[in-house]
Amino acid sequence: MKISASAAAIACCFAFSLPALDGLASAEETAGVNLVENGDFESGTTAWKPGTVWDSSKAQIAAVGDDVHGGKTALKVSGRASTDAGVVQSLNGKVAKGENYTGSMWVKSTEDAVFNITICSGNGSGCGQIATAAVKSGAWSEVTGSAELSGNGDYESPYLVVETSWNSGKTGDFLVDDVMLNGSASEPIVRPEGTAKAAKQIGESNPIIDYWYGADPWAMEYDGRVYVYTTGDATSVNADGSLTYDYEYDSKGNIKDNSFSSVKTINVLSTADMVNWRNEGYIRVAGEQGVAKWASHSWAPAVTHKTIDGKEKFFLYFANGGSGIGVLTSDSPVGPWHDERGELLIKGGTQAAQGVVWLFDPAVFTDDDGTGYLYYGGGVPEGQREHPNTARVIQLGDDMISTVGDAKPIDAPAMFEDSGIAKIGDTYYYSYCTNFSHDKVIDGHTIGYGNIAYMTSKNPMGPFTYQGEIMQNPSKYFDVGGNNHHAMVRLGDSWYMVYHAQTVAKELTQGGNLDKARGYRNTHVDPITINEDGSIADIPMTKKGLDQVRKLDAYPDGGISASTIAWDSGIQDAYDKSSGVRVVDLTADNSEGQKLSNINDGEWTSLSQVDFGEQGAKSITVHAAGKAGGRIEVRLDGTDTEPVAVVDIPAGDGGVYNDYTAELSGVNGVHNVFFTFRGAQDDDSNPELFDITGYVFTANATNPDPDPDPTPGDGDQGKDDAGKDDGKDDQDGDQQPSHRLPSTGTAVLGLSGAVVALAVAGVGLTVWRKRRA
């Protein structure tokens, strides 16, 4: 049961007596490691959040320089809605129950109050008070204390909380500075500086993104665009719905093996050309902030679509850990998603679960007649390594959120997990990952370990006949192992295999400071060859990946989202949260689209094969919100060519978006486009420079439509706000919401839910719009 921060504080306080204040050594005099990041606030609000652990709206914070205890900056906390509302910072992996900690901070309050340094569990199980002191208004006062971290909390996803004493009614504004929390270690852990290269080099297309992680991929083609859905590796949901992009840590602060225990999200990526991937954001699936609040996890998604009552609907199936399969619905491939069923679709204690060890890893298929089929299961019962018989298929109801009849077993030799399904011609191809403990030869077939094998049938319910293996374990190609997870998808006349491998983590071990890959995975795509007899040729895993199947139009309606990336500077340092750009949500509920964020000096992103046409582009407009501020250097065909434009972004608070334009000259034809981000700081703080939602290139003259009569399904159709075909040509298949202008107008559009400014025939018009549903 989740309890409030104040109630948790009461519970923890009964567990130990408050420490006496007299004679306590200050934090500076106590041996130990300061576990607080940016405790002197010289980097502004970096690493801190306002409010409570669970609700950031209950206070506001701002860095100030007119009244400080030390250095140049302090933090002002205002608008507090409760005594437990103040300022908080994640201590994930830094503290452990039963260890002793010393806390210290300086506070200047607008009222007499008792201030506390508290550590709270992110799941609401309880809090432990470390330091407390009475503070007189109007003067800087030190708060110090030492205590063992105890109480009712389990301190999973712990947070440091600066607050006033519970039930005191003291919710006035205050300043805080020089916050420290010292642990028991005598010396800080010294790690080598990260020097990893980007996991995806220019000209390669694998992994599809390398600026963060995504595993267990499923791919679906819809209207000429491929959508890939992945388990949200290393991504957790905070109490306010915002996301934390970080690893799991042990009590010493070392990155530990991925346990998948915090995974409650599914990421969505899409492309029309198989090289430029647009990040559509994260679906909050499980937990109190999720769509399916009854679920505890969201692993291994599978998605399909079907026309019901004349309306296209989308269905996302996910594994609630190993306990069952859930399903969400939407009117768009990217959401918003709804929990119409309100409970598991496949669950234990039913016929559909009998004999299945792991109720997870769904695959879904909608046949030509509209009938849906769900495949799932896995695990190896004792003594059944060669024929586990733990895979299942069941027919779905017409509504796709119910089932019809009994589940049928699939006797997949050496079955481990990871069901896949595809229909090629009139044949159904069931595929799966083999286990790691079977005999090498089964029924006359030589079968490897952790590989992808397949079976065929003329009926989607089987029986299926074993055919062979089509993809070896990632260890053969990338020298890093783990399980396989895959799906097959068709775009146009070609078939592709999506799968995961630990390639980003591998680069961080080779040139960075990660000791080993630790189970953090990334999605790849490689081509499938279907032989004339219907068999599938062996599919090598490659870094080269796919060739681009179409050019990226420079002038789509709505511009090009900044979350569309071909290559980027990558993650150099696993332990540095500022290393590598991120695509994050504009809002905590992911209702307004995405922005490019976590941008620091020297980082870059790019687009592949952008077609500017013969007439070329005359300008670029960037929709951005300044933080420390800086500039964007726009280059063609390389990261070290001369810039064709420099776009200056002034400093700001990160919350106000504006359009910033620079002229272009001689930019025509097809080019790779690189955006390099530069700052001008005098110190080594390396702050975030700005956030970006999109780019708009303006043509020199009216550009002829390169595909004036697009064929439905070729990825060239525009989308309305529901993600449906609005009949307006999107040219590059980037499928931004359509804002077609008269030929005399110039589009300077802010993307992803920000203000859209249109200059039409010299008349200014401001349009507010939300991201497509």
Side-chain angles (χ1 to χ4, degrees), residues 20-45:
L21 300 181
D22 293 337
L24 278 177
S26 70
E28 289 81 1
E29 296 169 330
T30 303
V33 180
N34 183 19
L35 305 175
V36 177
E37 181 181 349
N38 187 32
D40 56 7
F41 305 103
E42 297 305 291
S43 295
T45 61

Side-chain angles (χ1 to χ4, degrees), residues 359-712:
L359 287 171
F360 68 1
D361 286 5
V364 67
F365 168 70
T366 304
D367 213 341
D368 300 334
D369 63 0
T371 304
Y373 300 91
L374 186 70
Y375 304 76
Y376 60 93
V380 184
E382 183 68 28
Q384 297 177 218
R385 296 175 299 176
E386 284 68 48
H387 290 276
N389 207 25
T390 53
R392 297 290 183 270
V393 55
I394 194 167
Q395 183 178 326
L396 294 167
D398 290 340
D399 60 3
M400 301 292 283
I401 61 172
S402 62
T403 60
V404 176
D406 289 344
K408 303 297 184 184
I410 301 175
D411 184 10
M415 171 70 182
F416 187 54
E417 59 185 5
D418 176 30
S419 288
I421 189 67
K423 185 178 183 181
I424 303 174
D426 63 352
T427 302
Y428 301 88
Y429 290 70
Y430 173 76
S431 47
Y432 61 98
C433 180
T434 62
N435 67 59
F436 295 85
S437 59
H438 60 81
D439 290 341
K440 186 174 182 180
V441 178
I442 304 175
D443 301 335
H445 303 289
T446 300
I447 301 177
Y449 305 100
N451 298 339
I452 301 300
Y454 79 107
M455 309 174 74
T456 59
S457 176
K458 294 298 183 181
N459 188 310
M461 296 287 289
F464 288 87
T465 301
Y466 183 81
Q467 299 295 339
E469 295 180 318
I470 52 176
M471 179 173 274
Q472 304 299 302
N473 191 268
S475 59
K476 176 177 179 178
Y477 299 101
F478 304 126
D479 295 322
V480 60
N483 71 333
N484 265 1
H485 199 106
H486 76 293
M488 293 188 281
V489 65
R490 181 178 179 177
L491 178 64
D493 294 329
S494 298
W495 281 91
Y496 303 97
M497 178 74 88
V498 296
Y499 60 94
H500 70 214
Q502 300 176 66
T503 45
V504 171
K506 180 186 176 183
E507 290 298 340
L508 288 166
T509 65
Q510 291 185 330
N513 46 22
L514 193 62
D515 61 338
K516 56 183 178 180
R518 296 286 181 185
Y520 297 95
R521 303 156 297 176
N522 286 85
T523 293
H524 293 226
V525 187
D526 274 299
I528 297 174
T529 298
I530 310 296
N531 298 320
E532 290 186 6
D533 63 0
S535 63
I536 300 177
D538 183 67
I539 305 167
M541 296 181 177
T542 72
K543 294 295 294 295
K544 174 62 174 67
L546 306 177
D547 293 327
Q548 194 162 329
V549 300
R550 64 185 305 165
K551 303 297 187 293
L552 181 66
D553 177 39
Y555 316 109
D557 294 335
I560 300 172
S561 170
S563 74
T564 303
I565 298 173
W567 310 287
D568 61 90
S569 48
I571 303 171
Q572 288 75 50
D573 190 330
Y575 285 92
D576 182 1
K577 292 182 182 179
S578 69
S579 177
V581 298
R582 303 282 185 272
V583 173
V584 304
D585 303 312
L586 273 164
T587 55
D589 62 359
N590 190 24
S591 63
E592 298 292 335
Q594 282 63 55
K595 63 182 178 181
L596 189 67
S597 190
N598 205 58
I599 299 171
N600 298 95
D601 181 56
E603 294 177 331
W604 55 268
T605 64
S606 65
L607 301 168
S608 176
Q609 296 186 37
V610 181
D611 189 354
F612 292 97
E614 293 182 3
Q615 294 158 311
K618 66 179 180 181
S619 67
I620 179 175
T621 297
V622 179
H623 200 68
K627 292 180 176 177
R631 66 187 186 275
I632 303 172
E633 298 171 352
V634 184
R635 293 179 167 85
L636 302 182
D637 303 320
T639 58
D640 55 359
T641 61
E642 283 296 314
V644 295
V646 176
V647 183
D648 292 314
I649 311 294
D653 63 4
V656 179
Y657 284 84
N658 287 296
D659 291 311
Y660 303 96
T661 301
E663 299 301 310
L664 295 170
S665 178
V667 179
N668 56 14
V670 177
H671 296 277
N672 297 334
V673 179
F674 293 83
F675 306 99
T676 303
F677 312 116
R678 293 293 185 186
Q681 282 65 46
D682 295 329
D683 54 30
D684 59 357
S685 60
N686 195 28
E688 292 188 32
L689 304 179
F690 33 71
D691 290 343
I692 308 171
T693 62
Y695 313 102
V696 172
F697 291 101
T698 303
N700 274 309
T702 302
N703 228 20
D705 189 337
D707 189 4
D709 186 22
T711 302

Side-chain angles (χ1 to χ4, degrees), residues 220-305:
M220 175 189 70
E221 183 276 334
Y222 176 66
D223 202 17
R225 195 169 184 88
V226 171
Y227 294 83
V228 169
Y229 303 80
T230 70
T231 300
D233 266 15
T235 303
S236 59
V237 184
N238 300 313
D240 65 351
S242 63
L243 301 183
T244 294
Y245 303 88
D246 204 359
Y247 303 87
E248 296 182 44
Y249 296 87
D250 63 22
S251 62
K252 302 298 184 183
N254 296 307
I255 294 171
K256 64 180 184 180
D257 288 349
N258 186 6
S259 72
F260 325 112
S261 60
S262 298
V263 176
K264 302 179 188 296
T265 62
I266 290 171
N267 187 214
V268 188
L269 302 149
S270 73
T271 184
D273 60 39
M274 305 307 289
V275 173
N276 294 289
W277 288 90
R278 188 171 74 215
N279 195 325
E280 307 282 3
Y282 284 81
I283 309 166
R284 281 79 164 161
V285 176
E288 293 187 8
Q289 308 302 326
V291 179
K293 299 185 184 303
W294 49 265
S296 56
H297 298 96
S298 58
W299 299 352
V303 184
T304 190
H305 59 93

Side-chain angles (χ1 to χ4, degrees), residues 349-364:
T350 65
Q351 187 278 335
Q354 290 178 6
V356 180
V357 179
W358 299 327
L359 287 171
F360 68 1
D361 286 5
V364 67

